[in-house]
Amino acid sequence: DWIVFSSSNGVQAFAARLAEAGDARLLGTARLAAVGPRTADALAAHRLACDLVPDTHSAAGLLEAFREEPPQRRLLLIQADRGRDTLEKELTARGHEVCRVTGYVSRDVACLDTAAEAVLASQPIDWVMLSSPAITAAALRLFGDRLHRWKTACNSDAAADLLAAAGLRATVVSPTPSMAAVVEAMRAWQRGGAGHESHARSG
């Protein structure tokens, strides 16, 4: 009944497999849901119309959007291999039949290469944008104490909480997990100074 995409990367992987198998007619009457506008745009780029984008661009937003959906719907979730199982568990608990598949695989970078180290040494860095808990964990591992010298912009409380656990406070946390919201939170901080931090986090 529904195919749910949690990222634009998942759309790309799904579209590639769909092209190998045939075309959009294979989807039958299934409706498509995207976690946010960028994911919906990725669907549109493959001529796939998106039927649902939640007001809040997150797993929680998708859950809220599906709250009125009658039970016993069949849902296919396209996620990364590290994607959280929140959607699967909550939708299953509501009586839906949920199939969660890995659309793409992400792997950690073991260490910064020479070219990356040279850029860090030669270019002034003001902000680091952290777009997921996994990326935040990687940044902590790869950059270490250098993160203390940079302002950090997180797109979710989960990413900010990882920083906090490492003894770092996020400079800003966007109210919604979109890059546009992160950029706006950074702009607001620049306009309002350090005193704007708690407001940016609370949204």
Side-chain angles (χ1 to χ4, degrees):
D1 298 298
W2 284 95
I3 304 175
V4 183
F5 298 89
S6 60
S7 72
S8 55
N9 285 334
V11 172
Q12 304 302 338
F14 179 85
R17 292 298 298 272
L18 180 62
E20 292 174 3
D23 58 35
R25 289 174 294 182
L26 293 173
L27 303 183
T29 59
R31 288 176 288 175
L32 308 183
V35 70
R38 289 183 63 194
T39 305
D41 288 344
L43 285 168
H46 292 282
R47 300 185 181 278
L48 296 172
C50 186
D51 300 286
L52 172 66
V53 179
D55 293 332
T56 301
H57 308 149
S58 65
L62 281 170
L63 286 171
E64 182 62 30
F66 278 114
R67 187 168 298 281
E68 301 302 322
E69 192 71 9
Q72 298 183 340
R73 295 295 193 187
R74 294 176 299 169
L75 296 99
L76 175 66
L77 307 184
I78 311 295
Q79 294 184 294
D81 62 323
R82 296 179 179 178
R84 297 182 176 184
D85 60 1
T86 304
L87 273 175
E88 180 184 14
K89 286 183 175 179
E90 290 292 334
L91 291 170
T92 299
R94 293 180 189 177
H96 300 300
E97 181 183 339
V98 181
C99 177
R100 177 184 173 209
V101 299
T102 297
Y104 62 99
V105 174
S106 58
R107 291 289 178 262
D108 287 331
V109 174
C111 61
L112 296 175
D113 59 24
T114 303
E117 289 285 3
V119 169
L120 290 176
S122 63
Q123 300 292 329
I125 294 174
D126 296 313
W127 286 90
V128 176
M129 301 172 72
L130 303 171
S131 58
S132 73
I135 288 175
T136 302
L140 287 165
R141 178 172 52 82
L142 293 171
F143 300 136
D145 290 340
R146 282 179 285 199
L147 283 173
H148 289 274
R149 306 198 301 263
W150 305 328
K151 292 184 283 292
T152 50
C154 296
N155 77 336
S156 68
D157 285 338
D161 288 344
L162 275 180
L163 283 181
L168 293 166
R169 182 175 175 82
T171 309
V172 297
V173 182
S174 65
T176 58
S178 69
M179 294 309 292
V182 174
V183 171
E184 182 53 38
M186 293 163 63
R187 287 175 175 164
W189 189 94
Q190 292 292 142
R191 291 193 299 265
H196 194 82
E197 177 181 358
S198 59
H199 174 76
R201 174 154 188 171
S202 66

